[in-house]
């Protein structure tokens, strides 16, 4: 860019480059001419006559230079006008771009604010979910602490068993923490009729072996945990059979309640021999779901037994009901007889009322003055109908 006064000339403009090329060509021609003139003056100094011609040529070149200067001035003015027009166009384009950028930035700011609001709401929801997760984690840890302690685990199983039995059986059909004749205390004693007799439900299950089986990371740990699982379950089955199956006092079987469906599935899925050993020892393993089904079956047995116990009372009540029905029939017959007599009396009363009405009508039409004028020793007596 070249600044000429208040005008800026762009050297990269094709028009300016063409003008400058023409000016350079003219200037080159001028130099060649001057050089030729110089050579001619040195070579033909005697020839003075040619000087006038050379002067004329120089004058012609001067005129051409002036014309070239005028053309350059015109080109400069055209370049200035074109530059001004270009600047105006650039300013308008820049204004449009600025306006578009402002609108785009405003829309982006609005969308960003809306997105930030949505993000804030989602963060609040995430915070609430995190709080719930932390609370749930605390509850899970508390449950793990409960299950890790043998006494608290037994209490948890007893509470769960009590809730299930309470929902399935009447309150007088079971006893929690019942003491047997051998001094053992059963977690739950269900009073079934003979046979089979009262049946014990034990809720104390050793979960240490199962937890070890879940924590096992390699094959050797799995084998060891399975061995401990078999030992603990067998010993528990044997303990229930020895403690809670008493001949003449309880049923010839007992229930081993598992407070976890996962442990029940593990035993039936991977330790079927333990389940068979329980059947052989008459100790039936139940989970919360199967325990509820078993208790509903016991409820039906209790209902049938109570119906049989009340059969004599029902027969006595039926005999008394039959006597009451017979007495009711006799009293209905007496009432019907009384109704018949009352209907006969009402009919006789209706007949007497009709006769009395007829007599009153005859008396109302009787002429006493005519009777008084007629002679006669005596009056005729009108008989009264009865």
């Amino acid at each position: 860019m070249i600044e000429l006064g208040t005008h800026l000339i762009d050297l990269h403009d094709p028009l300016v480059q063409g003008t400058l090329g023409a000016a350079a060509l003219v200037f080159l021609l001028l130099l060649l001419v001057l050089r030729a003139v110089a050579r001619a003056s040195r070579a033909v100094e005697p020839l003075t006559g040619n000087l006038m011609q050379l002067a004329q040529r120089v004058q012609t070149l001067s005129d051409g230079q002036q014309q070239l200067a005028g053309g350059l001035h015109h080109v400069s003015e055209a370049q200035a006008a074109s530059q001004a027009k270009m600047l105006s166009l650039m300013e308008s384009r820049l204004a449009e771009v600025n306006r578009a950028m402002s609108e785009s930035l405003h829309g982006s700011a609005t969308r960003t604010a809306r997105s930030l609001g949505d993000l804030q709401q989602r963060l609040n929801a995430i915070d609430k979910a995190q709080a719930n997760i932390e609370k749930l984690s605390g509850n899970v840890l508390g449950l793990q602490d409960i299950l890790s302690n043998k006494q608290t685990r037994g209490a948890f199983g007893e509470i769960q068993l009590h809730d299930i039995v309470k929902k399935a059986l009447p309150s007088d059909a079971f006893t929690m923490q019942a003491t047997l004749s051998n001094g053992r205390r059963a977690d739950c004693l269900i009073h079934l009729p003979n046979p089979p007799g009262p049946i014990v439900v034990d809720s104390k299950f050793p979960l240490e072996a199962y937890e070890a089986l879940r924590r096992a990371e390699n094959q050797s740990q799995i084998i060891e945990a399975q061995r401990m699982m078999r030992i603990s379950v067998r010993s528990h089955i044997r303990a229930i059979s020895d403690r809670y199956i008493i001949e003449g006092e309880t049923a010839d079987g007992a229930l081993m309640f598992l407070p976890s469906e996962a442990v029940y599935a593990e035993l039936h899925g991977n330790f079927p021999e333990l389940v068979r050993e329980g059947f052989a020892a008459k100790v039936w393993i139940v989970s919360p779901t199967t325990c509820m089904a078993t208790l509903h079956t016991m409820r039906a047995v209790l209902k049938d037994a109570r119906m049989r116990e009340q059969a004599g009372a029902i027969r006595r009540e039926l005999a008394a009901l039959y006597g009451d029905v017979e007495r009711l029939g006799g009293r209905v017959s007496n009432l019907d007889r009384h109704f018949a007599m009352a209907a006969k009396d009402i009919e006789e009363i209706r007949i007497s009322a009709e006769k009395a009405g007829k007599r009153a009508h005859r008396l109302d039409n009787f002429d006493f003055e005519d009777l008084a004028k007629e002679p006669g020793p005596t009056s005729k007596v009108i008989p009264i109908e009865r």
Side-chain angles (χ1 to χ4, degrees), residues 159-337:
I159 293 173
Q160 190 176 6
L161 177 62
H162 180 265
D163 292 338
I164 294 174
V165 174
K166 186 177 180 181
K167 292 178 181 178
L169 298 178
S171 58
D172 59 344
F174 65 92
T175 302
M176 302 300 295
Q177 298 298 320
T179 302
L180 304 178
S181 61
N182 57 2
R184 299 291 183 177
R185 179 172 293 180
D187 295 329
C188 179
L189 181 64
I190 300 174
H191 306 296
L192 293 178
N194 288 315
I199 187 169
V200 175
V201 184
D202 183 78
S203 62
K204 296 181 290 293
F205 180 78
L207 289 177
E208 291 82 1
Y210 175 73
E211 294 294 336
L213 183 61
R214 289 183 56 190
R215 291 192 301 267
E217 298 178 355
N218 50 50
Q219 189 64 28
S220 61
Q221 292 180 357
I222 293 175
I223 293 173
E224 179 64 21
Q226 290 177 348
R227 187 182 68 84
M228 295 301 299
M229 185 82 171
R230 290 185 177 90
I231 293 175
S232 60
V233 173
R234 283 194 181 100
S235 62
H236 192 58
I237 291 174
R238 191 179 304 109
I240 293 175
S241 178
D242 295 339
R243 296 175 182 177
Y244 302 129
I245 299 178
I246 303 174
E247 185 177 359
E249 182 179 354
T250 63
D252 59 350
L255 297 179
M256 183 172 68
F257 176 73
L258 301 179
S260 173
E261 297 286 349
V263 180
Y264 181 81
E266 181 70 23
L267 287 177
H268 282 75
N270 298 322
F271 301 92
E273 71 279 4
L274 296 178
V275 179
R276 290 193 294 270
E277 291 179 8
F279 285 160
K282 296 183 179 179
V283 175
W284 298 288
I285 303 173
V286 294
S287 66
T289 303
T290 57
C291 182
M292 179 63 74
T294 304
L295 292 176
H296 277 290
T297 304
M298 294 181 180
R299 181 186 181 93
V301 173
L302 287 171
K303 183 177 180 180
D304 183 69
R306 292 185 179 182
M307 288 292 292
R308 288 198 304 270
E309 291 176 358
Q310 300 297 327
I314 292 173
R315 290 192 185 93
R316 289 192 298 271
E317 292 296 329
L318 287 175
L321 179 61
Y322 180 74
D324 292 336
V325 171
E326 285 186 345
R327 285 191 296 272
L328 179 62
R331 291 173 181 176
V332 168
S333 299
N334 294 332
L335 183 61
D336 183 63
R337 188 167 54 254

Side-chain angles (χ1 to χ4, degrees), residues 3 9-10 72 83 88 93 103 118 136 139 157 184 186 225 236 254 259 269 294 302 311 315-316 359:
E3 184 177 0
I9 298 175
D10 189 1
L72 288 175
Q83 186 176 2
S88 177
R93 294 288 179 85
E103 293 177 355
D118 296 339
L136 181 61
N139 294 333
R184 299 291 183 177
H236 192 58
T294 304
L302 287 171
R315 290 192 185 93
R316 289 192 298 271
R359 292 181 185 280

Side-chain angles (χ1 to χ4, degrees), residues 19-33 61 64-65 68:
T19 303
L20 292 178
L25 180 60
V26 171
F27 183 72
L28 181 60
L29 291 174
L30 181 62
L31 289 178
L32 292 175
V33 170
L61 290 175
Q65 185 178 4
L68 180 61

